[in-house]
Amino acid sequence: MPRPRLPLADVLRLDRPSDIWFKPALSVVVAVALPNLLLLALGRLDLAVYTMAGSLCALYAHNRPYAARARVLAWVVLGMTGGLAVALVAASLTDSAVVLVTVGALLAAAQKVLCDATRLGPPANVILAFISSASLFLPGTLGQVPGHVALALGAGAWAWLVCMAPGLLRPHGPERRATAHALTLAAAYADQAPADSDSHSHPHSRTAAAAAVHAAWQAVMSAHGDTTRRALERLLIRAEVALAAPAESDPARLRAWARDLRGTAPLPRPDDHLDDDELAGAEAERAVGRAPLRRRLGPLAPIAVRTALGCALAGYASLALGVGRPYWALVTAASLYQANVTLTWNRAVQRVVGNLAGVLVFAALVPLTRVHQVALVLVCLALNFGAEALISRNYWLGSVCVTPMALLITEFAQYQDSGRLITERVVDTLVGAAVGFVAAIAVTNRRAGDRLGHALTAVEEARDRAARLLAAPHPAPAALEQARRGLAAALVDLRATAEAAAGEWWQRALPEERVVTAEQSAHRTLAATVRRQGLHLAPTHARAEDVRR
């Protein structure tokens, strides 16, 4: 199979900022500020490296409904402090840098596969690896470990409260935003699609909209409150109608519903023929649950080996070059690994560019931060905010703030030689990126092709189930809705799996024609289920202002 291109310029292109970029940005500032200012007042800013472990948990789960967010954040805090504890214990038991790098590499691999298997979402394993790897090289004794871990747990509990606090004002905000995003993208696709609903033009627009609808379903199904959930499910079905039969949808109404969802207005209620029996399919899907974690870990074995090998070799190479902080090279390697080699290359370029620009920012900020420790704390808070405000536009842009922040954190205990810090960070960035990418090429992921085959089979089987129900004279509405939802979810998974496999090196030729045929056939079946269920929008000349009863 020919190797994919490894682009440069396109990798650095800026995207639109995330719709909720300000939420993790503000949350992490509040979560970090209180512990740091308390430690500053007590004259123990040297302990901030431990509270940062808990505070940075505030970066996670902002796209999840609050019931799910509470659970996910609790696991993140436990995972973060667990990695910290392992690192501190290892650091207190040995002075061997080789052993510590090995422990860090194994921790990074475990964090990577667990984050991928649970679909934790950004910033995924990178922050976890940063904290645990840096902690491996902190001075301390075994007796100090419980106290340091307790500091991290306390800060993590505060971060949990900070992230849950907005739920007091908008308890259904995340699922409303997810549904609004799905409606907006579905409307954009319906605008672009031709009158023939079986046509498959604008595939990228449709893929983005289908992924947004699928993500919104996951958010709605994990939310509490039957009344709100049912109302959002009705709207999501309207978005799916626009994808399956764009000619029968009204983009203006979809956008009007999306605007209402983003505000505090009452939930829009489509005036259509959808009844509660047809929503029973979503209830049945909710009851099925996800595959066991053990089954989801299996396909990630090549990624685990890549991460462990790349991080270990990067750390060893840094040690061989005499760098005093080999964990920077380790974390650089850990941050690279994406779904395939091509995406890993993209991240390597972004990481190098962002870090090199970031050390220049650090050099400019050092004189200011050494005026007083208050200035040091405030500059770090500003960099925290800047990193989250910019990283959704492109990873390299966020790294411009992350890099000086990581360098300044080393000065919480005592001032460092800034010239040496800059030199070591540049060397570790280049070593980590180069060695990490070589490991990604060396460790092949032939399972990517196998996963594509499984995804194809799943789509074909889901399509057959829906087709059999369509052929029946009087199919149960709940069964037909469940089949439609299952087919839509299988299509999203197939597209994601196909794109991941297409960017992987050293594997057999992919069944591209079979993928296209399966997608086209499934789209036609989805459109047929829409018509069979009678899920038609009101006439397109209806005014968007009349969408609520």
Side-chain angles (χ1 to χ4, degrees):
M1 178 178 179
R3 293 193 300 265
R5 292 175 57 250
L6 297 182
L8 285 173
D10 289 348
V11 175
L12 304 178
R13 181 178 299 163
L14 299 183
D15 298 320
R16 293 184 60 184
S18 164
D19 290 342
I20 59 169
W21 65 267
F22 55 91
K23 292 183 177 294
L26 293 174
S27 295
V28 74
V29 167
V30 175
V32 170
L34 180 63
N36 281 6
L37 292 175
L38 286 175
L39 291 173
L40 180 63
L42 295 172
R44 292 304 309 270
L45 195 58
D46 57 302
L47 297 176
V49 66
Y50 304 108
T51 60
M52 286 287 286
S55 298
L56 291 177
C57 294
L59 295 172
Y60 291 87
H62 287 276
N63 61 334
R64 297 178 187 259
Y66 288 103
R69 184 184 302 187
R71 296 189 299 270
V72 170
L73 280 175
W75 282 111
V76 169
V77 171
L78 292 176
M80 182 76 82
T81 53
L84 174 69
V86 171
L88 292 178
V89 168
S92 66
L93 294 178
T94 181
D95 292 327
S96 171
V98 172
V99 172
L100 293 176
V101 166
T102 304
V103 172
L106 294 175
L107 276 173
Q111 290 159 344
K112 171 63 177 174
V113 296
L114 285 173
C115 288
D116 284 3
T118 57
R119 298 179 181 177
L120 178 60
N125 62 302
V126 177
I127 300 298
L128 301 171
F130 167 67
I131 292 296
S132 59
S133 300
S135 302
L136 286 165
F137 294 88
L138 291 175
T141 64
L142 194 60
Q144 293 175 316
V145 171
H148 293 160
V149 172
L151 285 173
L153 278 174
W158 167 240
W160 187 94
L161 291 173
V162 168
C163 291
M164 295 300 297
L168 298 175
L169 299 176
R170 294 194 68 196
H172 299 289
E175 54 265 41
R176 285 177 65 130
R177 283 194 306 273
T179 303
H181 185 57
L183 288 167
T184 300
L185 293 188
Y189 171 72
D191 273 337
Q192 296 174 355
D196 177 8
S197 62
D198 289 338
S199 177
H200 300 283
S201 59
H202 306 287
H204 297 296
S205 175
R206 193 193 189 287
T207 297
V213 171
H214 182 65
W217 271 109
Q218 301 306 307
V220 169
M221 287 193 294
S222 62
H224 283 179
D226 289 340
T227 302
T228 298
R229 189 171 63 226
R230 285 297 181 94
L232 295 176
E233 285 173 351
R234 289 172 182 271
L235 291 168
L236 284 177
I237 287 176
R238 309 315 301 158
E240 288 191 330
V241 170
L243 296 183
E248 300 174 23
S249 67
D250 182 357
R253 302 188 79 187
L254 298 179
R255 292 191 179 92
W257 289 330
R259 285 194 299 270
D260 287 344
L261 285 173
R262 288 194 176 94
T264 57
L267 285 170
R269 299 194 179 275
D271 186 10
D272 53 33
H273 304 294
L274 182 66
D275 59 34
D276 287 342
D277 287 340
E278 290 166 328
L279 290 174
E283 299 294 337
E285 184 179 348
R286 185 182 297 110
V288 170
R290 298 178 64 182
L293 180 60
R294 183 175 59 182
R295 189 184 304 172
R296 285 177 273 145
L297 288 173
L300 295 173
I303 303 298
V305 175
R306 278 181 181 174
T307 305
L309 180 64
C311 291
L313 293 178
Y316 301 152
S318 178
L319 288 174
L321 292 173
V323 176
R325 294 175 175 82
Y327 61 86
W328 281 341
L330 191 158
V331 173
T332 295
S335 69
L336 301 185
Y337 299 113
Q338 306 299 301
N340 55 49
V341 172
T342 303
L343 293 177
T344 298
W345 163 262
N346 294 351
R347 182 54 55 88
V349 173
Q350 293 164 350
R351 179 86 181 188
V352 169
V353 171
N355 280 15
L356 294 182
V359 296
L360 298 178
V361 175
F362 169 74
L365 291 176
V366 163
L368 173 63
T369 61
R370 292 185 177 176
V371 172
H372 195 279
Q373 282 193 318
V374 173
L376 176 61
V377 171
L378 293 179
V379 168
C380 283
L381 290 176
L383 291 171
N384 266 298
F385 183 88
E388 294 311 307
L390 297 174
I391 204 163
S392 64
R393 303 207 64 184
N394 195 300
Y395 182 83
W396 76 264
L397 195 59
S399 296
V400 174
C401 290
V402 172
T403 299
M405 180 182 66
L407 292 170
L408 290 173
I409 288 173
T410 65
E411 303 212 323
F412 280 179
Q414 61 182 19
Y415 292 138
Q416 309 282 323
D417 180 345
S418 58
R420 183 178 178 184
L421 279 179
I422 291 173
T423 301
E424 290 183 346
R425 185 58 187 254
V426 170
V427 171
D428 275 345
T429 294
L430 298 176
V431 168
V435 175
F437 184 67
V438 169
I441 297 174
V443 179
T444 60
N445 184 12
R446 295 185 178 274
R447 294 192 183 188
D450 296 336
R451 294 182 67 188
L452 179 58
H454 296 323
L456 270 168
T457 300
V459 166
E460 292 165 349
E461 291 177 349
R463 182 211 168 271
D464 289 343
R465 283 194 298 272
R468 285 195 298 271
L469 285 170
L470 286 171
H474 301 290
L480 190 57
E481 168 62 11
Q482 186 177 7
R484 187 175 66 83
R485 288 282 309 118
L487 180 54
L491 269 171
V492 171
D493 183 62
L494 173 60
R495 179 41 42 200
T497 305
E499 290 177 353
E504 194 59 66
W505 289 21
W506 319 125
Q507 62 177 318
R508 61 184 181 274
L510 300 176
E512 296 178 1
E513 291 186 6
R514 185 183 168 196
V515 170
V516 172
T517 300
E519 287 184 319
Q520 291 178 344
S521 178
H523 291 159
R524 285 191 290 268
T525 302
L526 278 176
T529 59
V530 167
R531 297 187 180 96
R532 182 62 178 269
Q533 287 177 291
L535 305 181
H536 298 292
L537 287 167
T540 56
H541 62 268
R543 296 179 59 196
E545 292 85 348
D546 296 329
V547 296
R548 290 194 305 273
R549 290 190 295 205

